[in-house]
């Protein structure tokens, strides 16, 4: 919402297309709380000063990343890393080794609904055409190649089944459909 309000709307776009909230689903599973932002930043100390020096300036930053990429990475690094090359096989292997979750994925549909309503209001206030779009998922595919690429089934150290994640994303899609009906918004479904 902040990006839309502070960066996009000032450009006076004619149209904004909003894809259904897979990021919201993943944030909910990871227990992100939109209303109570946690600031886990370390207080300033010699350590944080050195960390800033190493990561914020060009030459030390390049040396830092060079040395960081030499070390052996943990499973968490594998799951959270943004690679330059595809490493889905490694992520899937880490994911498959995780224990199955003993319950359904946590959803936060109420926050998602409020966020959608806020975005609708923002678009209308700026006279921007907003188009909503549901997110198809491939979690329950029968395609063997695609089925072995689902590393996003694993969150917060637990592995969810393809059926659980498909059902969860379906609920976010349904919330988007509900908002589209309620506010008479165009939706690609």
């Amino acid at each position: 919402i902040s990006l839309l309000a502070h960066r996009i709307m000032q450009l006076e776009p004619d149209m904004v297309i909003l894809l259904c909230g897979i990021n919201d689903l993943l944030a909910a599973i990871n227990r992100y709380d939109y209303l109570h932002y946690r600031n886990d930043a370390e207080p300033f100390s010699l350590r944080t000063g050195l960390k800033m020096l190493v990561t914020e300036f060009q030459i030390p930053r390049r040396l830092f990343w060079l040395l960081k990429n030499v070390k052996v990475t943990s499973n968490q690094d594998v799951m959270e890393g943004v690679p330059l090359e595809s490493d889905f096989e490694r992520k899937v292997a880490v994911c498959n080794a995780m224990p199955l979750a003993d319950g359904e994925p946590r959803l936060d549909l109420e926050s998602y609904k409020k966020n959608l309503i806020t975005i609708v209001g923002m678009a209308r206030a700026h006279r921007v055409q907003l188009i909503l779009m549901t997110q198809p998922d491939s979690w329950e595919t029968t395609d063997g190649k695609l089925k072995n690429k689902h590393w996003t089934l694993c969150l917060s150290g637990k592995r969810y089944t393809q059926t659980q994640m498909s059902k969860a994303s379906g609920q976010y899609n349904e919330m988007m459909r509900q908002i589209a009906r309620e506010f008479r918004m165009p939706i690609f479904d």
Side-chain angles (χ1 to χ4, degrees):
I1 293 175
S2 180
L3 176 67
L4 188 63
H6 298 290
R7 302 250 173 125
I8 305 297
M9 289 303 177
Q10 72 178 355
L11 299 174
E12 299 178 3
D14 294 325
M15 178 186 303
V16 171
I17 300 173
L18 183 66
L19 193 62
C20 185
I22 295 302
N23 290 335
D24 293 279
L25 169 60
L26 301 180
I29 291 171
N30 286 314
R31 301 205 170 282
Y32 182 82
D33 183 357
Y34 291 101
L35 298 177
H36 303 95
Y37 179 72
R38 289 185 0 235
N39 185 359
D40 293 338
E42 300 174 36
F44 190 78
S45 65
L46 179 60
R47 180 179 176 208
T48 56
L50 288 174
K51 188 176 177 182
M52 184 179 84
L53 176 71
V54 169
T55 60
E56 297 301 320
F57 298 99
Q58 194 68 349
I59 293 173
R61 184 173 55 203
R62 287 184 182 195
L63 288 172
F64 173 78
W65 285 108
L66 178 67
L67 294 173
K68 182 178 182 206
N69 290 332
V70 170
K71 73 175 187 150
V72 177
T73 55
S74 69
N75 286 346
Q76 183 177 358
D77 291 337
V78 170
M79 295 305 286
E80 293 177 358
V82 179
L84 296 176
E85 297 176 12
S86 172
D87 65 348
F88 286 108
E89 293 83 12
R90 192 168 172 198
K91 288 184 179 190
V92 169
V94 169
C95 181
N96 287 338
M98 289 184 184
L100 270 175
D102 50 349
E104 296 294 318
R106 177 183 179 272
L107 305 179
D108 190 0
L109 294 171
E110 196 56 39
S111 290
Y112 181 61
K113 181 179 181 178
K114 289 176 184 176
N115 289 345
L116 285 176
I117 292 170
T118 300
I119 292 169
V120 168
M122 202 181 313
R124 287 184 173 174
H126 289 274
R127 292 179 170 69
V128 172
Q129 172 73 40
L130 179 65
I131 298 183
L132 304 177
M133 188 170 168
T134 59
Q135 174 79 35
D137 72 65
S138 61
W139 279 309
E140 291 191 286
T141 184
T142 56
D143 180 350
K145 285 184 179 180
L146 189 57
K147 198 171 195 168
N148 293 324
K149 302 249 186 224
H150 289 299
W151 58 271
T152 56
L153 294 170
C154 298
L155 298 155
S156 297
K158 297 176 190 166
R159 180 169 44 102
Y160 295 94
T161 66
Q162 294 173 346
T163 302
Q164 287 173 315
M165 291 300 284
S166 184
K167 182 180 170 187
S169 68
Q171 291 180 50
Y172 278 82
N173 280 333
E174 186 52 41
M175 180 60 70
M176 182 171 267
R177 289 182 197 104
Q178 178 185 332
I179 294 298
R181 284 189 301 271
E182 186 177 331
F183 289 93
R184 295 187 177 95
M185 303 292 299
I187 185 167
F188 285 110
D189 195 6

